[in-house]
Amino acid sequence: MRYVTPCYVVFAWWLGTALLFAAERPNVLLAISDDQSWPHASAYGSTLVSTPTFDRVAREGVLFTQAFCGSPGCSPSRASLLTGQHTWQIEHAGTHASYFAAKYASYPDRLEAAGYFVGYTGKGWAPGDWKKLGRKQNPAGRSFKSKRGSGKRGYVGAFAAFLEERPPEQPFCFWFGSHDAHRSYQRGSGLAKGMKLEDAEVPTFLPDHPEIRSDLLDYAFEVERFDRDVGQMLEMLAAAGELDNTLVIVTSDNGMPFPRAKANCYEYGIHMPLAIRWGSAVGGRTIQDLVGFVDLTATIYDVTGVAPPADQKLSGRSLVPILRSDQEGVVEPSRQAVYAARERHSSSRFNSLGYPQRCLRTHDYLYIRNFKPERWPAGPGQKYAKASYDASGQLISGVLGPAHGGYHDIDGCPSLDFLIAHADDAKLGPFLELAVGLRPRDELFDIRKDPGCLHNLAAQPAFQEIKTTLSRQLMEYLRQTGDARVLGTGDVWESYPRVSSLRWFPQPSWVDDTKPLPKQTWLDARRPRSTK
């Protein structure tokens, strides 16, 4: 059998020459998986996955145990990371599948203007339309694809093509946005690889059943594939002697694609894996400081020496002092809280309305404010199976589908199918209710005792002082940072168009016809083609 030299070795000779003359300014490699919750890296002790690359970055750099994304959905979370702004500060880009205005500069924009060679492969900022409001390229940079015909997944080849095109003496900024572990999965892929059901770690908000465990193994298969891709990219840099001059950030955009995780402001929706490697960082440490995606953006600006936009104040603080410290645990006690939010996720309600949430996470508690508790958090369940609409996109008539066919804020998956099939089971039915049932305005969880966020303490007398304090802190922070939801103009979020396909739902009883909701610009959205 003919031996095929790995691509990182093939390119090492070229990189060794080109990178020898590179400027001293550090490079930036951000590797971001799609839908991976924080426990699922072996550096955290997980038995579900094996992630030697993540573990290497943590061992040679810094492992963060308390890192949080900006939103539990991909495009708003990525927009927060790219801009260094909270999702409620960036208009359309702060919701799912809308626009990303050119006036909100991304850190790749700024680094490119400062002389960096910038690009991305896989999933940059998406889904959404970045062209509509004046952008010339994806906020993550210019797209690169493999030159070696390695198929749709050619991430490593694309990185090689990026490095090959990079001019000498020019530092780089690269965004590797894997589509792993986003659904859909090849069913049974985890078991086929040799993973064992007994190694699956079943979160407390899901029933412990072989069907659920197998679905978790399929998810783990994709997390491990992402880890291997990152590993090959690091080997390319190491072979060229450039790894220590690169800020390497490995994380994910939001939580695992399971019921009550992704698209929810619970721990498994917003708590992210994070490891950072940098030549100037003191390695081999575990950090428990509360950090958010906006802090990662500030760190990139700090490390590269590039100034953020003068008219776009960063919402985070650089992690450079932590990276250069020799301490472990909590290094900066002033980091008392992190914040996250969501608006619309999928097209899951009447008029494509969202499910607005804001949350505050401290070391001990997670407080969530549900601004529209009358809405169903995963969708009302029942949608129109057949629908007709007029030229403006308004529904004319429709035929209702099955009772549990419209939970589109949960990715379609075997786990959801299992919960629906057992909705009337006395033991298993409550798990579906946890994922889709109505929720109160206030939710409070002791995350040290209850990381699955099952026991809402907000109404318990013993926790009233804590709830009141955290609620006031959250509302005050939202006011200071200009959130329309607390400034009396929150309906603006219902007006941002969805550019992905639309679904149709009956008008709920709580809609006040005397005060019409803002209508989306339907003709700017992708025309409704189906109700799937």
Side-chain angles (χ1 to χ4, degrees):
M1 183 174 68
R2 189 168 63 119
Y3 176 72
V4 179
T5 304
C7 61
Y8 60 82
V9 175
V10 172
F11 283 97
W13 66 270
W14 177 87
L15 288 172
T17 302
L19 298 178
L20 181 64
F21 301 104
E24 288 302 313
R25 288 190 293 173
N27 310 308
V28 177
L29 172 62
L30 184 132
I32 185 166
S33 65
D34 201 351
D35 302 357
Q36 179 186 352
S37 294
W38 97 95
H40 301 137
S42 40
Y44 295 119
S46 175
T47 61
L48 174 65
V49 297
S50 175
T51 55
T53 302
F54 184 90
D55 302 351
R56 173 191 177 182
V57 174
R59 183 176 63 253
E60 297 175 358
V62 178
L63 176 67
F64 289 83
T65 65
Q66 301 292 321
F68 295 84
C69 63
S71 179
C74 52
S75 58
S77 180
R78 290 162 185 259
S80 178
L81 173 54
L82 285 161
T83 61
Q85 305 288 291
H86 296 299
T87 57
W88 59 84
Q89 298 176 302
I90 49 179
E91 298 178 296
H92 308 72
T95 193
H96 193 268
S98 193
Y99 306 145
F100 196 127
K103 67 180 180 178
Y104 296 111
S106 67
Y107 77 78
D109 293 337
R110 297 290 294 174
L111 267 61
E112 186 170 42
Y116 272 71
F117 187 62
V118 171
Y120 81 96
T121 193
K123 187 172 182 177
W125 175 75
D129 184 346
W130 48 263
K131 299 177 182 178
K132 184 72 176 181
L133 299 181
R135 283 195 160 271
K136 304 302 181 186
Q137 65 182 19
N138 191 291
R142 178 160 66 95
S143 176
F144 281 80
K145 297 181 180 178
S146 174
K147 293 182 177 180
R148 306 215 176 294
S150 55
K152 290 172 67 176
R153 284 193 43 82
Y155 300 137
V156 176
F159 186 50
F162 168 81
L163 293 174
E164 185 177 10
E165 188 173 327
R166 170 198 182 198
E169 302 185 22
Q170 192 168 3
F172 73 78
C173 168
F174 193 77
W175 171 292
F176 166 38
S178 177
H179 287 277
D180 296 332
H182 196 288
R183 293 186 186 270
S184 56
Y185 304 152
Q186 182 177 346
R187 195 162 185 168
S189 56
L191 287 171
K193 188 187 175 185
M195 295 178 177
K196 295 180 172 54
L197 290 178
E198 56 265 31
D199 290 334
E201 299 157 328
V202 182
T204 55
F205 50 82
L206 292 173
D208 192 345
H209 187 276
E211 184 76 8
I212 303 295
R213 285 180 171 266
S214 181
D215 200 16
L216 287 165
L217 295 185
D218 295 347
Y219 157 75
F221 174 88
E222 301 224 349
V223 171
E224 293 184 359
R225 187 165 58 184
F226 163 71
D227 192 76
R228 287 195 300 274
D229 287 338
V230 179
Q232 292 188 58
M233 294 180 184
L234 296 188
E235 288 303 322
M236 293 172 70
L237 294 178
E242 190 72 7
L243 182 57
D244 284 340
N245 192 41
T246 302
L247 175 69
V248 178
I249 300 172
V250 186
T251 189
S252 187
D253 61 354
N254 55 252
M256 60 196 295
F258 285 77
R260 204 175 163 88
K262 178 181 178 180
N264 291 272
C265 283
Y266 299 131
E267 282 286 289
Y268 278 76
I270 61 172
H271 195 164
M272 296 293 100
L274 176 64
I276 300 178
R277 188 191 192 283
W278 182 37
S280 298
V282 178
R285 294 177 297 128
T286 299
I287 299 298
Q288 297 172 353
D289 291 62
L290 294 161
V291 302
F293 272 11
V294 291
D295 298 318
L296 295 182
T297 323
T299 303
I300 292 170
Y301 281 121
D302 193 0
V303 166
T304 60
V306 175
D311 60 347
Q312 192 172 303
K313 183 182 177 184
L314 297 179
S315 296
R317 293 162 51 194
S318 172
L319 300 176
V320 166
I322 294 176
L323 295 176
R324 285 183 169 158
S325 167
D326 60 359
Q327 300 177 51
E328 291 195 276
V330 175
V331 179
E332 295 182 347
S334 59
R335 294 179 180 270
Q336 301 267 319
V338 289
Y339 302 85
R342 70 155 282 188
E343 284 288 337
R344 182 182 61 232
H345 184 66
S346 187
S347 177
S348 303
R349 292 166 199 83
F350 172 74
N351 205 32
S352 277
L353 296 173
Y355 189 74
Q357 295 180 297
R358 305 289 186 268
C359 71
L360 176 156
R361 169 65 150 75
T362 69
H363 282 287
D364 299 314
Y365 295 98
L366 172 66
Y367 171 75
I368 302 172
R369 171 66 63 87
N370 298 311
F371 283 88
K372 299 290 182 180
E374 69 275 14
R375 300 181 187 176
W376 299 95
Q382 198 167 30
K383 65 181 180 184
Y384 287 116
K386 295 181 181 179
S388 60
Y389 48 87
D390 62 24
S392 69
Q394 297 301 299
L395 180 73
I396 297 173
S397 63
V399 177
L400 285 174
H404 297 292
Y407 301 132
H408 288 287
D409 274 357
I410 303 173
D411 288 8
C413 60
S415 291
L416 177 59
D417 293 341
F418 179 86
L419 296 186
I420 291 172
H422 295 85
D424 298 326
D425 184 279
K427 236 185 218 187
L428 300 174
F431 288 98
L432 179 65
E433 183 66 16
L434 281 173
V436 306
L438 290 174
R439 297 168 186 170
R441 188 190 77 150
D442 299 297
E443 295 183 273
L444 176 68
F445 302 97
D446 181 338
I447 50 83
R448 294 185 187 270
K449 297 178 181 178
D450 181 23
C453 299
L454 298 184
H455 307 291
N456 182 13
L457 307 174
Q460 294 191 15
F463 291 90
Q464 289 310 293
E465 183 177 352
I466 293 172
K467 184 197 79 171
T468 300
T469 298
L470 295 182
S471 175
R472 286 175 179 167
Q473 183 178 342
L474 175 62
M475 294 302 110
E476 180 57 29
Y477 187 81
L478 296 176
R479 278 189 289 271
Q480 290 175 359
T481 52
D483 188 348
R485 283 289 173 198
V486 299
L487 297 178
T489 55
D491 281 352
V492 68
W493 288 103
E494 320 292 4
S495 69
Y496 297 140
R498 172 178 164 85
V499 300
S500 298
S501 58
L502 302 172
R503 303 181 184 95
W504 304 97
F505 295 83
Q507 179 171 311
S509 59
W510 45 261
V511 171
D512 183 356
D513 288 326
T514 66
K515 184 185 175 185
L517 291 162
K519 293 182 180 179
Q520 290 195 15
T521 310
W522 298 99
L523 296 182
D524 284 349
R526 188 178 298 170
R527 288 296 299 275
R529 294 190 301 272
S530 103
T531 54
K532 291 182 181 179

